PDB file of all heavy atoms in Angstrom:
ATOM      1  N   GLU A  16      19.702 -27.571 145.958  1.00 91.00           N
ATOM      2  CA  GLU A  16      20.958 -28.363 145.630  1.00 91.00           C
ATOM      3  C   GLU A  16      20.663 -29.862 145.958  1.00 91.00           C
ATOM      4  O   GLU A  16      20.034 -30.114 146.941  1.00 91.00           O
ATOM      5  CB  GLU A  16      22.111 -27.822 146.283  1.00 91.00           C
ATOM      6  CG  GLU A  16      22.034 -27.710 147.812  1.00 91.00           C
ATOM      7  CD  GLU A  16      23.250 -27.041 148.453  1.00 91.00           C
ATOM      8  OE1 GLU A  16      23.445 -25.752 148.304  1.00 91.00           O
ATOM      9  OE2 GLU A  16      24.127 -27.768 148.965  1.00 91.00           O
ATOM     10  N   HIS A  53      30.156  -9.135 152.704  1.00 97.00           N
ATOM     11  CA  HIS A  53      31.301  -8.171 152.632  1.00 97.00           C
ATOM     12  C   HIS A  53      31.660  -7.587 151.289  1.00 97.00           C
ATOM     13  O   HIS A  53      32.507  -6.767 151.157  1.00 97.00           O
ATOM     14  CB  HIS A  53      32.543  -8.984 153.204  1.00 97.00           C
ATOM     15  CG  HIS A  53      32.360  -9.400 154.669  1.00 97.00           C
ATOM     16  ND1 HIS A  53      32.299  -8.526 155.610  1.00 97.00           N
ATOM     17  CD2 HIS A  53      32.126 -10.600 155.183  1.00 97.00           C
ATOM     18  CE1 HIS A  53      32.150  -9.182 156.852  1.00 97.00           C
ATOM     19  NE2 HIS A  53      32.037 -10.453 156.508  1.00 97.00           N
ATOM     20  N   ILE A  90      32.398   3.623 166.631  1.00 98.00           N
ATOM     21  CA  ILE A  90      33.407   4.390 167.409  1.00 98.00           C
ATOM     22  C   ILE A  90      34.839   4.134 166.750  1.00 98.00           C
ATOM     23  O   ILE A  90      35.504   5.191 166.569  1.00 98.00           O
ATOM     24  CB  ILE A  90      33.350   3.858 168.808  1.00 98.00           C
ATOM     25  CG1 ILE A  90      32.008   4.212 169.485  1.00 98.00           C
ATOM     26  CG2 ILE A  90      34.543   4.463 169.637  1.00 98.00           C
ATOM     27  CD1 ILE A  90      31.800   3.521 170.825  1.00 98.00           C
ATOM     28  N   LEU A  91      35.227   2.967 166.409  1.00 98.00           N
ATOM     29  CA  LEU A  91      36.558   2.814 165.765  1.00 98.00           C
ATOM     30  C   LEU A  91      36.519   3.514 164.402  1.00 98.00           C
ATOM     31  O   LEU A  91      37.619   3.931 163.925  1.00 98.00           O
ATOM     32  CB  LEU A  91      36.871   1.305 165.565  1.00 98.00           C
ATOM     33  CG  LEU A  91      37.094   0.520 166.948  1.00 98.00           C
ATOM     34  CD1 LEU A  91      37.062  -0.935 166.628  1.00 98.00           C
ATOM     35  CD2 LEU A  91      38.417   0.974 167.503  1.00 98.00           C
ATOM     36  N   VAL A 138      21.182  11.919 180.036  1.00 96.00           N
ATOM     37  CA  VAL A 138      21.909  13.065 180.629  1.00 96.00           C
ATOM     38  C   VAL A 138      21.124  14.316 180.444  1.00 96.00           C
ATOM     39  O   VAL A 138      20.312  14.435 179.566  1.00 96.00           O
ATOM     40  CB  VAL A 138      23.289  13.191 180.171  1.00 96.00           C
ATOM     41  CG1 VAL A 138      24.149  11.943 180.524  1.00 96.00           C
ATOM     42  CG2 VAL A 138      23.352  13.466 178.666  1.00 96.00           C
ATOM     43  N   PHE A 165      12.688   4.214 178.963  1.00 96.00           N
ATOM     44  CA  PHE A 165      12.453   5.650 179.186  1.00 96.00           C
ATOM     45  C   PHE A 165      13.244   6.400 178.198  1.00 96.00           C
ATOM     46  O   PHE A 165      14.390   6.144 177.814  1.00 96.00           O
ATOM     47  CB  PHE A 165      12.911   6.019 180.655  1.00 96.00           C
ATOM     48  CG  PHE A 165      11.948   5.403 181.748  1.00 96.00           C
ATOM     49  CD1 PHE A 165      12.397   4.375 182.412  1.00 96.00           C
ATOM     50  CD2 PHE A 165      10.752   5.970 181.994  1.00 96.00           C
ATOM     51  CE1 PHE A 165      11.657   3.774 183.389  1.00 96.00           C
ATOM     52  CE2 PHE A 165       9.942   5.458 182.903  1.00 96.00           C
ATOM     53  CZ  PHE A 165      10.407   4.357 183.700  1.00 96.00           C
ATOM     54  N   ALA A 170      16.895  15.436 171.743  1.00 98.00           N
ATOM     55  CA  ALA A 170      16.910  16.498 170.801  1.00 98.00           C
ATOM     56  C   ALA A 170      17.746  17.706 171.284  1.00 98.00           C
ATOM     57  O   ALA A 170      18.608  18.260 170.549  1.00 98.00           O
ATOM     58  CB  ALA A 170      15.531  16.927 170.377  1.00 98.00           C
ATOM     59  N   ALA A 181      30.550  18.271 167.604  1.00 98.00           N
ATOM     60  CA  ALA A 181      30.756  16.931 167.933  1.00 98.00           C
ATOM     61  C   ALA A 181      29.849  15.960 167.216  1.00 98.00           C
ATOM     62  O   ALA A 181      28.685  16.313 166.957  1.00 98.00           O
ATOM     63  CB  ALA A 181      30.676  16.663 169.477  1.00 98.00           C
ATOM     64  N   GLY A 190      15.454   0.358 170.255  1.00 98.00           N
ATOM     65  CA  GLY A 190      14.540   1.235 169.582  1.00 98.00           C
ATOM     66  C   GLY A 190      14.299   0.890 168.148  1.00 98.00           C
ATOM     67  O   GLY A 190      13.808   1.789 167.350  1.00 98.00           O
ATOM     68  N   ILE A 205      17.264   8.713 164.815  1.00 98.00           N
ATOM     69  CA  ILE A 205      17.400   8.963 163.245  1.00 98.00           C
ATOM     70  C   ILE A 205      16.678  10.274 162.962  1.00 98.00           C
ATOM     71  O   ILE A 205      17.295  11.178 162.280  1.00 98.00           O
ATOM     72  CB  ILE A 205      16.850   7.747 162.480  1.00 98.00           C
ATOM     73  CG1 ILE A 205      17.754   6.552 162.672  1.00 98.00           C
ATOM     74  CG2 ILE A 205      16.784   8.204 161.038  1.00 98.00           C
ATOM     75  CD1 ILE A 205      17.261   5.286 162.045  1.00 98.00           C
ATOM     76  N   SER A 215      19.378  -2.936 167.728  1.00 98.00           N
ATOM     77  CA  SER A 215      19.296  -4.438 167.925  1.00 98.00           C
ATOM     78  C   SER A 215      17.938  -4.841 167.503  1.00 98.00           C
ATOM     79  O   SER A 215      16.966  -4.969 168.195  1.00 98.00           O
ATOM     80  CB  SER A 215      19.387  -4.760 169.425  1.00 98.00           C
ATOM     81  OG  SER A 215      20.739  -4.676 169.870  1.00 98.00           O
ATOM     82  N   LYS A 218      16.123  -7.575 169.588  1.00 97.00           N
ATOM     83  CA  LYS A 218      15.501  -7.221 170.852  1.00 97.00           C
ATOM     84  C   LYS A 218      13.992  -6.980 170.733  1.00 97.00           C
ATOM     85  O   LYS A 218      13.225  -7.318 171.613  1.00 97.00           O
ATOM     86  CB  LYS A 218      16.270  -5.952 171.501  1.00 97.00           C
ATOM     87  CG  LYS A 218      17.700  -6.287 171.902  1.00 97.00           C
ATOM     88  CD  LYS A 218      18.276  -5.200 172.712  1.00 97.00           C
ATOM     89  CE  LYS A 218      19.807  -5.550 172.957  1.00 97.00           C
ATOM     90  NZ  LYS A 218      20.018  -6.720 173.726  1.00 97.00           N
ATOM     91  N   PRO A 221      11.054  -9.233 165.040  1.00 98.00           N
ATOM     92  CA  PRO A 221      11.258 -10.717 164.841  1.00 98.00           C
ATOM     93  C   PRO A 221      12.432 -11.111 164.043  1.00 98.00           C
ATOM     94  O   PRO A 221      12.398 -11.549 162.903  1.00 98.00           O
ATOM     95  CB  PRO A 221       9.928 -11.108 164.155  1.00 98.00           C
ATOM     96  CG  PRO A 221       9.545  -9.841 163.305  1.00 98.00           C
ATOM     97  CD  PRO A 221       9.971  -8.742 164.223  1.00 98.00           C
ATOM     98  N   ILE A 241      33.681   3.418 158.825  1.00 98.00           N
ATOM     99  CA  ILE A 241      32.777   2.556 159.615  1.00 98.00           C
ATOM    100  C   ILE A 241      32.621   1.266 158.781  1.00 98.00           C
ATOM    101  O   ILE A 241      32.546   0.128 159.342  1.00 98.00           O
ATOM    102  CB  ILE A 241      31.397   3.155 159.860  1.00 98.00           C
ATOM    103  CG1 ILE A 241      31.656   4.412 160.852  1.00 98.00           C
ATOM    104  CG2 ILE A 241      30.426   2.241 160.350  1.00 98.00           C
ATOM    105  CD1 ILE A 241      30.309   5.171 160.994  1.00 98.00           C
ATOM    106  N   LEU A 256      20.869 -17.491 158.089  1.00 98.00           N
ATOM    107  CA  LEU A 256      19.634 -17.477 158.904  1.00 98.00           C
ATOM    108  C   LEU A 256      19.492 -16.103 159.559  1.00 98.00           C
ATOM    109  O   LEU A 256      18.321 -15.602 159.565  1.00 98.00           O
ATOM    110  CB  LEU A 256      19.801 -18.629 159.946  1.00 98.00           C
ATOM    111  CG  LEU A 256      19.642 -20.030 159.465  1.00 98.00           C
ATOM    112  CD1 LEU A 256      19.854 -20.998 160.558  1.00 98.00           C
ATOM    113  CD2 LEU A 256      18.245 -20.272 158.850  1.00 98.00           C
ATOM    114  N   GLN A 280      -2.070  -2.780 171.089  1.00 97.00           N
ATOM    115  CA  GLN A 280      -2.554  -2.035 172.233  1.00 97.00           C
ATOM    116  C   GLN A 280      -3.538  -2.904 173.052  1.00 97.00           C
ATOM    117  O   GLN A 280      -3.558  -2.798 174.261  1.00 97.00           O
ATOM    118  CB  GLN A 280      -3.166  -0.811 171.748  1.00 97.00           C
ATOM    119  CG  GLN A 280      -2.081   0.257 171.217  1.00 97.00           C
ATOM    120  CD  GLN A 280      -2.717   1.515 170.715  1.00 97.00           C
ATOM    121  OE1 GLN A 280      -3.589   1.479 169.847  1.00 97.00           O
ATOM    122  NE2 GLN A 280      -2.247   2.630 171.327  1.00 97.00           N
ATOM    123  N   VAL A 297       2.511  -1.210 188.506  1.00 98.00           N
ATOM    124  CA  VAL A 297       2.946  -1.210 187.128  1.00 98.00           C
ATOM    125  C   VAL A 297       3.408   0.145 186.768  1.00 98.00           C
ATOM    126  O   VAL A 297       2.643   1.104 186.857  1.00 98.00           O
ATOM    127  CB  VAL A 297       1.905  -1.757 186.174  1.00 98.00           C
ATOM    128  CG1 VAL A 297       2.478  -1.791 184.719  1.00 98.00           C
ATOM    129  CG2 VAL A 297       1.364  -3.142 186.621  1.00 98.00           C
ATOM    130  N   GLU A 346      -2.052  -7.868 163.789  1.00 97.00           N
ATOM    131  CA  GLU A 346      -3.457  -8.215 163.740  1.00 97.00           C
ATOM    132  C   GLU A 346      -3.468  -9.750 163.360  1.00 97.00           C
ATOM    133  O   GLU A 346      -2.772 -10.112 162.451  1.00 97.00           O
ATOM    134  CB  GLU A 346      -4.292  -7.466 162.754  1.00 97.00           C
ATOM    135  CG  GLU A 346      -5.628  -7.819 162.686  1.00 97.00           C
ATOM    136  CD  GLU A 346      -6.449  -7.045 161.599  1.00 97.00           C
ATOM    137  OE1 GLU A 346      -5.792  -6.581 160.655  1.00 97.00           O
ATOM    138  OE2 GLU A 346      -7.614  -6.900 161.734  1.00 97.00           O
ATOM    139  N   PRO A 369      15.487  -0.827 199.454  1.00 54.00           N
ATOM    140  CA  PRO A 369      16.039   0.055 198.399  1.00 54.00           C
ATOM    141  C   PRO A 369      17.422   0.403 198.689  1.00 54.00           C
ATOM    142  O   PRO A 369      17.781   0.799 199.726  1.00 54.00           O
ATOM    143  CB  PRO A 369      15.126   1.300 198.421  1.00 54.00           C
ATOM    144  CG  PRO A 369      13.902   0.866 199.100  1.00 54.00           C
ATOM    145  CD  PRO A 369      14.319  -0.174 200.051  1.00 54.00           C
ATOM    146  N   ILE A 375      28.213   9.320 192.235  1.00 62.00           N
ATOM    147  CA  ILE A 375      29.355   9.444 191.388  1.00 62.00           C
ATOM    148  C   ILE A 375      29.477  10.839 191.008  1.00 62.00           C
ATOM    149  O   ILE A 375      28.498  11.626 190.942  1.00 62.00           O
ATOM    150  CB  ILE A 375      29.430   8.462 190.213  1.00 62.00           C
ATOM    151  CG1 ILE A 375      28.275   8.785 189.323  1.00 62.00           C
ATOM    152  CG2 ILE A 375      29.405   7.063 190.688  1.00 62.00           C
ATOM    153  CD1 ILE A 375      28.318   7.948 187.981  1.00 62.00           C
ATOM    154  N   SER A 377      29.651  14.076 188.674  1.00 87.00           N
ATOM    155  CA  SER A 377      28.857  14.298 187.456  1.00 87.00           C
ATOM    156  C   SER A 377      29.705  14.139 186.209  1.00 87.00           C
ATOM    157  O   SER A 377      29.177  13.697 185.172  1.00 87.00           O
ATOM    158  CB  SER A 377      28.352  15.867 187.488  1.00 87.00           C
ATOM    159  OG  SER A 377      27.461  16.024 188.543  1.00 87.00           O
ATOM    160  N   ALA A 383      43.137   7.098 178.091  1.00 74.00           N
ATOM    161  CA  ALA A 383      43.096   6.028 177.286  1.00 74.00           C
ATOM    162  C   ALA A 383      43.705   4.759 178.013  1.00 74.00           C
ATOM    163  O   ALA A 383      44.657   5.082 178.808  1.00 74.00           O
ATOM    164  CB  ALA A 383      43.912   6.293 175.927  1.00 74.00           C
ATOM    165  N   GLU A 393      43.047  -7.108 194.872  1.00 93.00           N
ATOM    166  CA  GLU A 393      43.114  -6.573 196.258  1.00 93.00           C
ATOM    167  C   GLU A 393      41.688  -6.912 196.820  1.00 93.00           C
ATOM    168  O   GLU A 393      40.680  -6.897 196.223  1.00 93.00           O
ATOM    169  CB  GLU A 393      43.268  -5.010 196.178  1.00 93.00           C
ATOM    170  CG  GLU A 393      43.302  -4.261 197.534  1.00 93.00           C
ATOM    171  CD  GLU A 393      44.393  -4.689 198.358  1.00 93.00           C
ATOM    172  OE1 GLU A 393      44.250  -5.733 198.985  1.00 93.00           O
ATOM    173  OE2 GLU A 393      45.369  -3.944 198.447  1.00 93.00           O
ATOM    174  N   THR A 402      42.532   2.620 191.818  1.00 92.00           N
ATOM    175  CA  THR A 402      42.002   2.683 190.495  1.00 92.00           C
ATOM    176  C   THR A 402      41.669   1.292 190.073  1.00 92.00           C
ATOM    177  O   THR A 402      42.513   0.393 190.045  1.00 92.00           O
ATOM    178  CB  THR A 402      42.975   3.338 189.581  1.00 92.00           C
ATOM    179  OG1 THR A 402      43.368   4.624 190.048  1.00 92.00           O
ATOM    180  CG2 THR A 402      42.462   3.423 188.194  1.00 92.00           C
ATOM    181  N   ILE A 414      25.362  -2.869 181.765  1.00 85.00           N
ATOM    182  CA  ILE A 414      25.879  -1.579 182.103  1.00 85.00           C
ATOM    183  C   ILE A 414      26.835  -1.770 183.262  1.00 85.00           C
ATOM    184  O   ILE A 414      26.470  -2.223 184.354  1.00 85.00           O
ATOM    185  CB  ILE A 414      24.744  -0.641 182.499  1.00 85.00           C
ATOM    186  CG1 ILE A 414      23.808  -0.458 181.383  1.00 85.00           C
ATOM    187  CG2 ILE A 414      25.366   0.746 182.990  1.00 85.00           C
ATOM    188  CD1 ILE A 414      22.507   0.354 181.855  1.00 85.00           C
ATOM    189  N   ASP A 448      35.559 -11.731 196.825  1.00 93.00           N
ATOM    190  CA  ASP A 448      35.654 -10.328 197.454  1.00 93.00           C
ATOM    191  C   ASP A 448      36.902  -9.648 197.004  1.00 93.00           C
ATOM    192  O   ASP A 448      37.512  -8.942 197.866  1.00 93.00           O
ATOM    193  CB  ASP A 448      35.403 -10.359 198.924  1.00 93.00           C
ATOM    194  CG  ASP A 448      33.952 -10.542 199.362  1.00 93.00           C
ATOM    195  OD1 ASP A 448      33.047 -10.526 198.419  1.00 93.00           O
ATOM    196  OD2 ASP A 448      33.718 -11.018 200.466  1.00 93.00           O
ATOM    197  N   LYS A 451      40.431  -6.537 190.779  1.00 94.00           N
ATOM    198  CA  LYS A 451      41.690  -6.173 190.023  1.00 94.00           C
ATOM    199  C   LYS A 451      41.873  -4.578 190.006  1.00 94.00           C
ATOM    200  O   LYS A 451      41.012  -3.898 189.604  1.00 94.00           O
ATOM    201  CB  LYS A 451      41.638  -6.666 188.611  1.00 94.00           C
ATOM    202  CG  LYS A 451      42.922  -6.529 187.805  1.00 94.00           C
ATOM    203  CD  LYS A 451      42.780  -7.080 186.412  1.00 94.00           C
ATOM    204  CE  LYS A 451      42.383  -8.466 186.300  1.00 94.00           C
ATOM    205  NZ  LYS A 451      42.296  -8.959 184.958  1.00 94.00           N
TER     206      LYS A 451
END
Side-chain angles (χ1 to χ4, degrees):
E16 57 185 75
H53 297 290
I90 294 169
L91 289 167
V138 295
F165 293 102
I205 292 172
S215 283
K218 293 189 184 300
I241 292 173
L256 287 174
Q280 289 178 304
V297 183
E346 183 183 27
I375 61 174
S377 296
E393 178 66 279
T402 304
I414 301 172
D448 289 340
K451 190 184 294 184

